[in-house]
Amino acid sequence: MDLNKIYEELKILKENAYTPYSNFNVSCIIYLKNGKQIKGVNVENAAYNPGICAERAALPQMITQGYNKDDVDVVALYTDSEGFGSPCGTCRQTLIELLYPEQKMLIFNKHEFIGEYTVGYFLPNGFTNNNLTNK
Ligand code: THU
């Protein structure tokens, strides 16, 4: 994985974000093992609630295009943050639903590469299908 190349691709992509309300751009690229990229940016709304995060713009496209967690190499996330660019709570729930807890995630902010984490790091003990039982 070429971190500089990923960072450049995320920075180009984040320019597509639609953020007239927050002016805080986020981009997410799901790099598949077959070399394909699935992309998402945050898309806001005057009514605020219908706004969608970059991660939840990208992940459903992965499913739509017929891919799943076994096809994913790495997930890269850029936020306009000055500090730690962290996935929001709702996105963490979607990440744990559609990816392995061990799935590698690369986090970048406005200035630099922050580090390599996992989906499980962001949502330990998350609610999954294993919990979905009343027995
Ligand atoms: N945002 C994301 O796209 N992903 C996250 O995980 C954190 C927040 C977006 C939502 C909103 O458009 C903007 O960042 C400010 O919250």
Side-chain angles (χ1 to χ4, degrees), residues 12-65:
I12 290 168
L13 178 61
K14 67 109 172 170
E15 294 302 324
N16 293 349
Y18 177 77
T19 56
Y21 308 105
S22 73
N23 196 31
F24 184 87
N25 290 15
V26 182
S27 56
C28 178
I29 304 179
I30 304 169
Y31 290 88
L32 300 182
K33 291 172 184 169
N34 68 1
K36 195 174 162 58
Q37 300 179 8
I38 312 273
K39 298 177 178 179
V41 295
N42 52 334
V43 180
E44 298 181 344
N45 192 288
Y48 291 7
N49 282 345
I52 186 80
C53 292
E55 301 93 311
R56 282 177 297 121
L59 284 161
Q61 285 190 64
M62 175 185 85
I63 300 299
T64 302
Q65 294 179 35

